[in-house]
Amino acid sequence: MYRLAGHASSPFGALIGELTLERLPFYRRKDMILYTDTPDRGCMGYLAVITAAEPEDRFHLPHMLGNVSPEAASKLKQGDILSVSGTGEAAVLWDQGSRQNSLLLTEACNCRCLMCPQPPRRHDPALPAAALRVLDLLKGKRVESICITGGEPALPKEDFIGILRRCAGEHPNAEVNVLTNAKPFSDASFAGEAALAAPKKAVFCASLHSDLPQVHDAVVGKPGSYDLTNEGVYNLAVRRVPLEIRHVIVRRNHDRLLEFARHLYRYFPFCAHYAFMSMETCGLAAENLDEIYVEPNDYRDGLRAAVLAMSKRGLPVSVYNTPLCLCHEDIRPFARRSISAWKNVYLEQCGRCAAKASCCGFFSTSVKLSGQIEPLAAA
Ligand code: SF4
Ligand code: SF4
């Protein structure tokens, strides 16, 4: 999530609105946040104002976030949906024009993965409320894709089902990805509710990190998770919910990628898609770095074997978050530009690489980037 810092005109609670860079007629201002260099009387009626100027606390002016760096503000776009708060922060909740927007339903989780980029926290009901407000502001607009995420987004059950229903009703043609550990769907009746509420183009992306229960449970930090995730996936599958299996590669599972691919073929051949993912090393991943980090070059051969084995069997497979130069040439067509634009960076050597335009690069949020990259020559 892209964030900006500044100084608030006064303490005020979070306000969520749509950004405009142009002044609008008074009757269109109620839900709009204006970005302006000149926070004058003409700002009346907007939900809030963001400015590089000094913030003003006047009764006739909206709440204001001032002293924002013009460079940070230059990344904002007309139509972005922002949250602005009196703590002096603004965050882009919906990036207009991006296909990688998420609705964050909770930061609570029923796992504690060694490589979780976003350490689980106590549930804050303000998060599903913010997601609903974003959906209010998106009503009637063209939305191509929505990612529903957490924590574990299905933990606040009612909110989760409500959001699925709203996505289905208001954006019936959007691709909706639900990022889940699938444990909540081990409850068959809840899986049934989710299946009924799910938009027609929804895919539930379930994380499974090993074919061995003890390895999966050690990676996700909760005994019994392997069985619950398996049950959840099967409960969704029998209700015809499209599924993806996501496998994050860490030190504990990196040497069994081919075995894992065979396991998928044997026990989960019904999924719509499968993804092998390199890690984003922030959050718990940064804290546990010594325990979990593995260089992509150390699993390069295993990744190749797994991807080719699955592809030969007709299973649609992708590689996420892994630079092209760290993949064998014959699996590069499976590697995707999977990193969200706002946190996607390249290293200095990448400037000399012929494949940069199709390479995922790196997470700017990672504390550890592979030092083993090698610019590729033009084919
Ligand atoms: S990685 Fe996902 S499943 Fe694991 S603790 Fe974090 S939010 Fe939960
Ligand atoms: S050198 Fe950089 S741009 Fe080229 S493949 Fe490697 S990581 Fe990607």
Side-chain angles (χ1 to χ4, degrees):
M1 190 182 293
Y2 183 63
R3 292 176 192 276
L4 305 109
H7 293 118
S9 51
S10 60
F12 58 91
L15 299 168
I16 298 175
E18 181 180 333
L19 186 78
T20 178
L21 306 173
E22 300 153 6
R23 304 243 172 175
L24 298 170
F26 201 82
Y27 69 91
R28 287 184 53 202
R29 296 181 180 181
K30 177 174 72 67
D31 291 325
M32 307 299 284
I33 297 172
L34 175 70
Y35 179 80
T36 179
D37 293 333
T38 49
D40 51 22
R41 278 173 167 275
C43 296
M44 280 169 67
Y46 289 99
L47 181 68
V49 168
I50 298 178
T51 178
E54 199 64 34
E56 286 194 53
D57 183 16
R58 301 264 178 91
F59 79 96
H60 61 278
L61 290 178
H63 292 304
M64 215 176 274
L65 184 69
N67 303 129
V68 170
S69 113
E71 197 205 332
S74 68
K75 299 206 171 104
L76 300 177
K77 294 189 293 300
Q78 179 80 23
D80 284 351
I81 295 174
L82 265 61
S83 150
V84 181
S85 85
T87 56
E89 200 183 57
V92 177
L93 303 183
W94 194 268
D95 178 352
Q96 172 60 30
S98 166
R99 284 185 55 89
Q100 294 164 321
N101 283 303
S102 300
L103 299 177
L104 177 68
L105 265 53
T106 184
E107 291 182 296
C109 192
N110 47 4
C111 288
R112 192 171 172 85
C113 300
L114 291 169
M115 69 300 184
C116 180
Q118 191 178 296
R121 291 191 190 166
R122 183 189 287 269
H123 178 58
D124 178 358
L127 288 172
L132 289 169
R133 170 81 175 141
V134 170
L135 286 174
D136 290 342
L137 293 165
L138 289 173
K139 233 183 217 169
K141 297 196 170 151
R142 184 182 154 82
V143 170
E144 291 183 6
S145 61
I146 303 171
C147 176
I148 297 177
T149 187
E152 170 47 58
L155 283 185
K157 289 187 174 181
E158 276 183 32
D159 289 318
F160 176 72
I161 297 294
I163 294 242
L164 283 181
R165 287 201 186 111
R166 284 203 51 185
C167 291
E170 293 163 22
H171 303 288
N173 297 316
E175 287 170 14
V176 176
N177 282 333
V178 178
L179 307 191
T180 175
N181 58 39
K183 284 164 66 173
F185 307 108
S186 59
D187 169 351
S189 93
F190 182 57
E193 259 189 90
L196 279 177
K200 64 176 188 243
K201 286 165 98 177
V203 177
F204 283 47
C205 307
S207 40
L208 183 64
H209 303 307
S210 181
D211 54 316
L212 303 176
Q214 66 276 20
V215 174
H216 176 86
D217 287 357
V219 170
V220 305
K222 290 276 161 89
S225 292
Y226 179 86
D227 290 341
L228 293 174
T229 291
N230 276 272
E231 237 175 283
V233 169
Y234 285 125
N235 278 340
L236 291 169
V238 294
R239 289 165 179 82
R240 298 186 179 280
V241 174
L243 285 149
E244 171 175 303
I245 300 284
R246 293 189 167 201
H247 183 72
V248 177
I249 306 169
V250 296
R251 187 177 295 170
R252 290 197 193 201
N253 63 15
H254 81 283
D255 52 358
R256 289 188 64 83
L257 298 182
L258 181 57
E259 286 81 354
F260 185 70
R262 289 184 182 134
H263 180 79
L264 292 178
Y265 180 64
R266 282 189 201 115
Y267 298 104
F268 300 94
F270 45 79
C271 293
H273 189 242
Y274 307 82
F276 287 91
M277 306 171 67
S278 295
M279 266 178 288
E280 178 181 11
T281 52
C282 61
L284 293 183
E287 282 175 29
N288 298 319
L289 198 66
D290 291 344
E291 193 180 347
I292 58 164
Y293 187 75
V294 55
E295 272 293 336
N297 266 335
D298 293 346
Y299 53 82
R300 185 182 180 117
D301 294 345
L303 183 60
R304 173 179 186 266
V307 167
L308 293 181
M310 292 180 70
S311 171
K312 267 185 208 143
R313 288 169 170 84
L315 302 185
V317 55
S318 296
V319 175
Y320 291 164
N321 315 340
T322 313
L324 291 176
C325 59
L326 299 176
C327 297
H328 280 289
E329 193 172 349
D330 49 2
I331 65 159
R332 286 181 195 153
F334 298 90
R336 312 279 170 236
R337 290 198 66 182
S338 45
I339 299 177
S340 303
W342 69 269
K343 56 176 170 177
N344 189 195
V345 291
Y346 294 86
L347 304 187
E348 195 235 317
Q349 305 93 298
C350 301
R352 305 190 301 277
C353 179
K356 186 176 172 189
S358 44
C359 175
C360 70
F362 298 91
F363 290 99
S364 61
T365 43
S366 280
V367 297
K368 170 96 180 165
L369 307 181
S370 173
Q372 303 183 353
I373 65 163
E374 243 176 76
L376 298 173

